[in-house]
């Protein structure tokens, strides 16, 4: 049997009804397009998140404030009445995910963490924790000369620069003395510096934060942007000064860098015990804080991706089944329309399996063409989506092979019945068919 | 030597109401190699049934059929296909060309299932032989009916079969074209091909060396050209 002739004839049959063939493969195009877009986007997001967290460090632990349930209504009321952006209240959803959300979104919750918590964690010792920093943020009006901007100002410890991997570009970082003395000094991240000073000198210049004067003592080097937080937008000042300026007594977050990856979970347990004791809470379920390690976030991201993948795979699967039924339908129509041709082919020597292979070839070519177009469209969708959320698109060979295999399999599965029906036609009946 | 030897062929059709109609009733027919036989008869006389049996398209009958001295009665469907492709060339009244396919590829159709070296050259020479050299790359829908039937004849010859079986080959042609096609058929017979034509037209049957007249599934009479 001449395979080249068979493929050529299959293409002739497909192109004989171009519009019909196009409409037939549309379901496959959508199905495969979804599969490719899903895999490509999933891989791209995973890669980007993986990169972000690897830059963050796998030994990172974040302790976040979590508002206690009883306070919720009061907080809501207070927020509703007060339009002032003030301390960002993003922790009102309750539950474990609050802290994770805070970590993901770069927002702070209702502060519940004390300076004693911070000191006690720091006192766990360098063999357990290498860096600890509290955080308290507020959206403030930051002004220099005539320029005024609404920016997030964060009070931190010196260790914060180590934890975040910031490097000083100009000037100095604030010192323990600045913290002890509640000095009104700030360190600007690169974008904040550019926003306020352009390329002018900032060191020893005075800016106002909510009309309180602060002296710029350092400018940080530009840092690679994370997916969730732009580290270059930071305006950092000593946490003690921030508490005073923001009229706060507690922190929203305490960032902890464990000595190594292996002890992360034991350090998490120790911090939990310590904080429960400090906050006089007996039951873990009532805790007014959450503790998340970077591994927890990675796990959560993976499980979220798994759910998303499942949902999209189901959609793609349904689309492929619908597409496959379309293929079967059209192939059955084709068999009926070409009954006489089948009779002729049998008359000139075609055996049962020749006819079977011929019609299977046609359905597989249809689905493969649909699959290839779907790969192109799916990749295009993921490219556009990735551009919209500023991540790099990845299209693996595995995904392409999977898509081609699926489309080929759909062609075989849904083309088999029509092909079998064609193959078993009696030549006399087929030739007589009108 | 008999190329086709049919003995006591009976063929019944059963409709959905299980009513049996006998198409052939114990027919005996022998056709020698190189003969040109016309099978005539009215509608319902059993011509088409006989053609299907001779052409190895139908093996569901009673009696014995030897093709080239080989009993073909009990061959499987695939074996019959193989033998058909090799030994029998069909020319149909409805032409049955592949749509949107050019002359060359229509003629090459049988080689899809049994290819050999030089297929293209042979197809080209056959197309030239039927006078369609300048139409070789024309699609079937760009040809006249006469030209289409010539393509069908070239296709029937493609595998160099022993027997050409033509079912009303001029049924859809005007007189002039019918004469041209029959001249072509006579030429093939003179080259040694066994020719069996099913027709109800006496002037077409007159081209044959032997005319077999069917009536009610039996041979009513037969006669040779003097």
């Amino acid at each position: 049997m001449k395979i080249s002739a068979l493929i050529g004839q299959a293409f002739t049959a497909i192109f004989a009804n171009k519009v019909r063939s196009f409409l037939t493969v549309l379901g496959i195009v959508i199905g495969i397009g979804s599969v490719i877009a899903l895999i490509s986007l999933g891989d791209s997001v995973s890669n980007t998140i993986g990169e972000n967290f690897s830059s963050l460090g796998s030994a990172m632990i974040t302790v976040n404030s979590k508002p206690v349930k009883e306070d919720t209504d009061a907080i809501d009321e207070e927020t509703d009445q007060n339009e002032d952006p003030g301390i960002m209240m993003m922790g009102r959803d309750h539950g474990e995910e609050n802290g994770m959300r805070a970590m993901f979104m770069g927002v702070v919750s209702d502060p519940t963490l004390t300076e004693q918590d911070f000191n006690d964690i720091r006192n766990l010792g360098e063999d357990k924790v290498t860096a600890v920093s509290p955080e308290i943020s507020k959206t403030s009006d930051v002004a220099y000369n005539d320029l005024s901007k609404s920016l997030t100002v964060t009070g931190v410890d010196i260790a914060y620069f180590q934890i975040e991997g910031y490097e000083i570009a100009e000037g100095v970082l604030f010192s323990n003395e600045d913290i002890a003395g509640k000095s009104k000094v700030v360190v600007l991240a690169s974008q904040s510096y550019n926003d306020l000073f352009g390329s002018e000198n900032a060191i020893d210049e005075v800016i106002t934060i909510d009309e309180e004067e602060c002296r710029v003592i350092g400018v940080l080097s530009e840092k690679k942007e994370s997916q969730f937080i732009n580290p270059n937008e930071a305006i950092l000042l000593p946490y003690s000064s921030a508490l005073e300026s923001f009229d706060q007594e507690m922190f929203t977050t305490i960032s902890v860098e464990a000595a190594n990856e292996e002890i992360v979970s034991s350090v998490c347990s120790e911090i939990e015990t310590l904080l429960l004791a400090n906050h006089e809470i007996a039951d873990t379920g009532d805790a007014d804080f959450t503790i998340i390690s970077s591994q927890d976030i990675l796990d959560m991201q993976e499980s979220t991706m798994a759910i998303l993948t499942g949902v999209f795979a189901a959609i793609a699967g349904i689309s492929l089944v619908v597409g496959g039924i379309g293929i079967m339908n059209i192939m059955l129509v084709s068999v009926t329309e070409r009954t006489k041709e089948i009779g002729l082919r049998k008359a000139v020597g075609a055996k049962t399996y020749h006819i079977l292979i011929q019609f299977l070839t046609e359905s597989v070519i249809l689905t493969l063409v649909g699959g290839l177009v779907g790969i192109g469209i799916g990749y295009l969708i993921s490219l556009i989506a990735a551009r919209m959320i500023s991540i790099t698109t990845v299209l693996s060979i595995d995904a392409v092979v999977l898509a081609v295999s699926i489309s080929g399999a759909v062609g075989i599965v849904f083309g088999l019945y029509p092909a079998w029906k064609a193959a078993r036609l009696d030549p006399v009946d087929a030739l007589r068919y009108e | 030597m008999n190329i086709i030897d049919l003995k006591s062929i009976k063929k019944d059709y059963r409709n959905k109401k299980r009513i049996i109609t006998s198409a052939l009733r114990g027919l005996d027919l022998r056709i020698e190699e190189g003969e040109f036989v016309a099978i005539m008869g009215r509608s319902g006389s059993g011509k088409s049934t006989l053609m299907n049996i001779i052409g190895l398209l139908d093996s569901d009958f009673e009696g014995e059929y030897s093709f080239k001295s080989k009993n073909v009665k009990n061959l499987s469907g695939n074996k019959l296909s193989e033998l058909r492709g090799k030994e029998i060339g069909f020319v149909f009244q409805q032409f049955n060309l592949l749509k949107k396919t050019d002359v060359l590829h229509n003629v090459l159709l049988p080689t899809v299932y049994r290819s050999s070296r030089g297929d293209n050259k042979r197809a080209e020479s056959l197309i030239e032989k039927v006078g369609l050299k300048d139409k070789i790359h024309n699609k079937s829908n760009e040809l006249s009916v006469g030209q289409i039937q010539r393509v069908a004849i070239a296709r029937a010859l493609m595998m160099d079969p022993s027997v050409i079986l033509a079912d009303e080959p001029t049924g859809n042609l005007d007189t002039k074209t019918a004469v041209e096609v029959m001249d072509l058929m006579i030429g093939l017979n003179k080259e040694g091909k066994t020719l069996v034509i099913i027709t109800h037209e006496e002037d077409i049957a007159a081209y044959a060396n032997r005319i077999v007249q069917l009536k009610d599934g039996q041979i009513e009479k037969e006669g040779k050209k003097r």
Side-chain angles (χ1 to χ4, degrees):
Chain A
M1 192 175 185
K2 264 189 198 166
I3 299 298
S4 59
L6 197 72
I7 292 170
Q9 285 176 5
F11 273 107
T12 306
I14 290 165
F15 281 106
N17 292 294
K18 289 187 198 78
V19 176
R20 189 167 81 180
S21 301
F22 167 73
L23 292 173
T24 306
V25 299
L26 215 53
I28 304 296
V29 171
I30 293 167
I32 294 296
S34 319
V35 170
I36 286 292
L38 153 79
I39 295 175
S40 174
L41 263 181
D43 286 353
S44 309
V45 171
S46 292
N47 278 5
T48 309
I49 291 174
E51 279 172 22
N52 287 337
F53 282 105
S54 67
S55 70
L56 203 79
S58 52
M60 275 300 302
I61 298 166
T62 307
V63 184
N64 278 307
S65 300
K66 188 175 92 177
V68 286
K69 287 175 187 174
E70 299 85 68
D71 293 340
T72 312
D73 294 340
I75 292 163
D76 280 345
E77 217 169 277
E78 191 184 308
T79 317
D80 291 343
Q81 285 167 0
N82 187 4
E83 291 286 311
D84 184 87
I87 303 291
M88 284 184 279
M89 308 272 193
M90 293 298 290
R92 282 176 287 155
D93 295 330
H94 311 300
E96 287 296 316
E97 68 273 18
N98 260 351
M100 294 201 183
R101 251 183 70 185
M103 180 72 182
F104 263 123
M105 309 296 289
V107 294
V108 290
S109 175
D110 192 20
T112 58
L113 303 168
T114 64
E115 195 161 356
Q116 191 194 339
D117 296 336
F118 162 56
N119 286 326
D120 287 350
I121 295 170
R122 192 158 55 174
N123 291 339
L124 285 172
E126 281 199 4
D127 56 331
K128 290 178 182 165
V129 294
T130 48
V132 184
S133 172
E135 287 172 48
I136 177 78
S137 297
K138 189 186 176 198
T139 304
S140 306
D141 290 325
V142 182
Y144 174 68
N145 288 343
D146 296 334
L147 190 67
S148 177
K149 279 181 179 280
S150 183
L151 297 167
T152 302
V153 179
T154 309
V156 295
D157 185 73
I158 310 158
Y160 185 77
F161 298 101
Q162 178 190 331
I163 293 168
E164 289 295 321
Y166 280 119
E167 283 176 13
I168 192 84
E170 276 181 72
V172 291
L173 300 175
F174 47 77
S175 62
N176 283 326
E177 286 71 34
D178 290 325
I179 292 170
K182 299 180 183 176
S183 305
K184 303 296 179 191
V185 290
V186 293
V187 174
L188 302 177
S190 58
Q191 194 176 314
S192 305
Y193 159 71
N194 286 332
D195 287 348
L196 292 168
F197 293 93
S199 56
E200 300 292 313
N201 171 56
I203 306 301
D204 288 332
E205 293 294 317
V206 174
I207 61 171
T208 60
I209 297 173
D210 286 339
E211 295 176 356
E212 192 170 11
E213 288 190 344
C214 293
R215 189 167 55 89
V216 178
I217 58 164
V219 175
L220 300 170
S221 300
E222 192 174 344
K223 208 171 158 241
K224 195 186 168 195
E225 282 185 30
S226 137
Q227 191 54 45
F228 314 108
I229 308 155
N230 183 358
N232 300 314
E233 285 176 344
I235 296 179
L236 304 167
L237 71 162
Y239 68 84
S240 53
S241 319
L243 287 177
E244 190 177 73
S245 300
F246 300 166
D247 195 20
Q248 285 284 325
E249 289 177 353
M250 299 197 199
F251 306 113
T252 49
T253 305
I254 298 174
S255 296
V256 183
E257 190 180 79
N260 57 60
E261 283 176 44
E262 285 71 33
I263 60 162
V264 167
S265 88
S266 71
V267 171
C268 284
S269 302
E270 279 194 60
I271 293 173
E272 186 181 49
T273 313
L274 214 141
L275 264 58
L276 285 173
N278 283 358
H279 297 199
E280 296 176 347
I281 297 167
D283 187 359
T284 320
D286 296 333
D288 57 357
F289 59 88
T290 55
I291 302 171
I292 321 133
S293 68
S294 42
Q295 189 57 48
D296 291 335
I297 296 163
L298 220 57
D299 290 347
M300 193 192 74
Q301 174 255 316
E302 273 170 16
S303 68
T304 309
M305 281 308 295
I307 293 166
L308 276 179
T309 306
V311 170
F312 278 108
I315 294 168
I318 291 166
S319 176
L320 283 171
V321 169
V322 173
I325 292 168
I327 296 276
M328 187 189 273
N329 186 29
I330 288 301
M331 290 308 294
L332 283 170
V333 171
S334 179
V335 169
T336 308
E337 281 178 352
R338 291 158 65 193
T339 301
K340 214 158 188 152
E341 180 196 315
I342 295 163
L344 168 73
R345 287 177 183 276
K346 288 206 162 184
V348 300
K351 295 177 183 174
T352 306
Y353 72 87
H354 289 143
I355 303 294
L356 187 89
I357 290 172
Q358 181 182 348
F359 278 86
L360 264 186
T361 307
E362 282 179 29
S363 62
V364 169
I365 286 176
L366 265 178
T367 52
L368 280 181
V369 168
L372 292 175
V373 175
I375 289 171
I377 289 176
Y379 183 62
L380 207 66
I381 290 169
S382 71
L383 213 63
I384 294 166
R387 187 157 291 183
M388 283 167 75
I389 54 172
S390 308
I391 59 172
T392 316
T393 321
V394 181
L395 180 61
S396 66
I397 293 292
D398 291 356
V400 174
V401 171
L402 179 75
V404 171
S405 309
I406 289 174
S407 46
V410 168
I412 292 171
V413 169
F414 290 94
L416 199 59
Y417 174 65
W420 174 75
K421 210 177 162 196
R424 60 191 283 273
L425 277 174
D426 179 71
V428 175
D429 293 339
L431 281 167
R432 214 172 5 191
Y433 185 84
E434 291 296 340
Chain B
M1 181 195 156
N2 290 333
I3 192 164
I4 291 163
D5 191 350
L6 295 162
K7 282 181 194 161
S8 309
I9 303 297
K10 284 184 186 174
K11 171 76 184 178
D12 295 335
Y13 289 106
R14 198 179 298 230
N15 67 13
K16 283 177 185 171
K17 290 178 181 171
R18 300 194 164 220
I19 297 169
I20 296 169
T21 311
S22 294
L24 296 175
R25 304 162 191 253
L27 180 143
D28 293 308
L29 178 66
R30 282 168 202 86
I31 297 172
E32 284 185 20
E33 204 163 351
E35 249 194 307
F36 182 176
V37 179
I39 297 171
M40 292 192 73
R42 288 183 179 179
S43 179
S45 61
K47 298 191 302 285
S48 295
T49 305
L50 183 58
M51 181 194 147
N52 290 337
I53 292 171
I54 292 173
L56 306 169
L57 291 166
D58 187 357
S59 58
D60 183 20
F61 57 87
E62 282 179 48
E64 283 178 31
Y65 179 13
S66 296
F67 186 90
K68 281 188 162 179
S69 306
K70 185 183 177 185
N71 184 5
V72 292
K73 172 78 177 71
N74 297 317
L75 290 181
S76 68
N78 282 343
K79 286 276 178 203
L80 284 172
S81 285
E82 197 176 325
L83 195 60
R84 211 160 47 221
K86 191 177 154 193
E87 299 287 1
I88 297 171
F90 289 91
V91 179
F92 300 99
Q93 182 181 1
Q94 301 294 335
F95 321 125
N96 290 350
L97 293 198
L98 295 180
K99 288 172 191 168
K100 303 204 174 177
T101 304
D102 65 16
V103 169
L104 177 66
H105 287 91
N106 263 296
V107 174
L108 280 168
L109 178 65
T111 67
V112 172
Y113 311 106
R114 175 187 275 268
S115 60
S116 59
R117 276 191 175 187
D119 282 342
N120 273 43
K121 273 196 170 178
R122 178 167 170 77
E124 283 165 12
S125 77
L126 286 170
I127 291 164
E128 192 176 349
K129 185 175 184 172
V130 298
L132 293 173
K133 192 182 175 186
D134 56 333
K135 304 277 182 191
I136 192 161
H137 295 302
N138 282 43
K139 300 270 168 67
S140 51
N141 55 328
E142 297 163 358
L143 304 173
S144 68
V145 284
Q147 288 169 332
I148 288 174
Q149 196 58 302
R150 285 158 187 261
V151 177
I153 292 169
R155 182 184 63 199
L157 293 169
M158 187 61 213
M159 302 312 285
D160 195 20
S162 314
V163 178
I164 302 286
L165 202 52
D167 183 10
E168 304 278 8
T170 58
N172 283 337
L173 305 179
D174 59 55
T175 314
K176 184 173 169 277
T177 317
V179 170
E180 285 171 11
V181 166
M182 287 316 295
D183 285 343
L184 199 61
M185 298 283 231
I186 288 169
L188 296 175
N189 180 239
K190 282 182 179 165
E191 287 171 18
K193 297 284 178 206
T194 306
L195 218 61
V196 181
I197 287 187
I198 311 285
T199 184
H200 66 275
E201 295 173 80
E202 284 184 5
D203 44 347
I204 295 298
Y207 283 91
N209 306 121
R210 177 156 65 115
I211 298 173
V212 176
Q213 189 79 42
L214 290 189
K215 190 180 179 185
D216 298 331
Q218 285 177 316
I219 295 174
E220 185 188 31
K221 59 181 177 183
E222 62 180 304
K224 284 193 175 183
K225 205 186 247 182
R226 273 176 281 169

